[in-house]
Amino acid sequence: MQSIHIATLIIIVANVLISMKALNDFSFFEKYKFNIAAIRRGEQIRMFSSAFLHADFVHLFFNMITLYFFADVVIDTLGVPRFLIIYVISLIVGNLLSFYFHKDEYHYSAVGASGAVMGVIYAAILIHPEGELLLFYALRIPAWMFGLGYLLFSIYGMKARLGNIGHDAHFGGAVAGYLLTLLFYPSVFDDKLIYVILLAVPIVILLVMYRTGKIY
């Protein structure tokens, strides 16, 4: 198992401690979860705090183990400050996109670090697009293919309101990670331009669908 950077460890510990507090304290969970009605009343702290809450231990585990495996790629290439910027901005952009699409659904609620984690995943994919990911412990696919496929799946999930998953927060976080990596690591335009273009395709598709009224 790979070593863990102190920055990643701090984020994981914060998520674990705050999530455990929330899972054992219903009022705390309700006070800090993402909720459209509460945010519209002025409780903007929920846009940030909700990313440190999780629905259950399985949700928490998968977000944190995913962060563990991808964080070092970003830290080793971009450094800790830029890794932290990607994590926090992806968190915020993911929740902003979710708020934008659900702003009239006063009952809508969500929790989880998925938007922030997706930002780190997409930063890592853009840094090493030709690397391989192991899916379901059996299937190896290029990182860029996973990134492209996941964003397309997120669009489908947003359109179909598929499952109890914040597809829009995932998409927003991934796009933030993608754009920030282009800003922090511009050499990708020289070395990996084809992957930059391929990973931009779902972003263009979502914009077109939104403009033409085919989503939300």
Side-chain angles (χ1 to χ4, degrees):
M1 182 170 282
Q2 67 185 42
S3 61
I4 184 168
H5 194 281
I6 185 63
T8 309
L9 180 61
I10 289 171
I11 291 173
I12 290 175
V13 169
N15 272 276
V16 170
L17 292 178
I18 296 171
S19 291
M20 288 180 65
K21 164 68 176 174
L23 289 171
N24 289 287
D25 185 340
F26 180 75
S27 62
F28 183 89
F29 186 92
E30 289 295 306
K31 183 177 180 179
Y32 292 108
K33 72 180 182 180
F34 180 97
N35 175 263
I36 295 295
I39 293 170
R40 293 192 66 160
R41 287 197 303 268
E43 299 177 28
Q44 279 81 18
I45 185 63
R46 293 172 181 261
M47 298 284 282
F48 183 78
S49 63
S50 60
F52 291 88
L53 308 179
H54 288 81
D56 51 41
F57 288 107
V58 174
H59 186 204
L60 172 64
F61 173 78
F62 278 105
N63 269 339
M64 295 303 100
I65 196 68
T66 303
L67 177 64
Y68 165 75
F69 281 117
F70 284 91
D72 276 1
V73 175
V74 181
I75 291 172
D76 291 346
T77 303
L78 303 181
V80 172
R82 289 177 174 180
F83 161 74
L84 294 175
I85 290 171
I86 288 172
Y87 187 90
V88 173
I89 297 299
S90 297
L91 180 166
I92 293 170
V93 171
N95 279 341
L96 282 173
L97 188 66
S98 188
F99 180 83
Y100 181 77
F101 280 134
H102 298 282
K103 59 183 177 293
D104 296 322
E105 301 171 39
Y106 290 90
H107 65 283
Y108 185 85
S109 297
V111 293
S114 300
V117 173
M118 289 305 300
V120 173
I121 290 174
Y122 275 81
I125 287 173
L126 200 53
I127 290 167
H128 292 302
E130 295 173 313
E132 289 189 334
L133 300 180
L134 183 64
L135 299 183
F136 310 114
Y137 301 100
L139 178 64
R140 290 186 178 275
I141 66 170
W144 70 266
M145 190 178 294
F146 170 82
L148 179 64
Y150 193 90
L151 283 187
L152 292 173
F153 173 75
S154 293
I155 293 173
Y156 170 73
M158 292 162 68
K159 182 174 176 58
R161 301 294 182 102
L162 188 65
N164 188 29
I165 300 172
H167 296 286
D168 30 35
H170 292 186
F171 192 95
V175 171
Y178 169 85
L179 294 176
L180 286 168
T181 305
L182 294 181
L183 176 65
F184 294 149
Y185 194 50
S187 64
V188 296
F189 287 106
D190 299 322
D191 304 332
K192 305 175 178 72
L193 182 60
I194 184 62
Y195 300 112
V196 172
I197 294 171
L198 283 170
L199 290 171
V201 169
I203 303 172
V204 175
I205 290 174
L206 180 65
L207 288 173
V208 171
M209 290 180 68
Y210 179 72
R211 290 281 187 176
T212 56
K214 293 182 179 178
I215 193 165
Y216 290 112

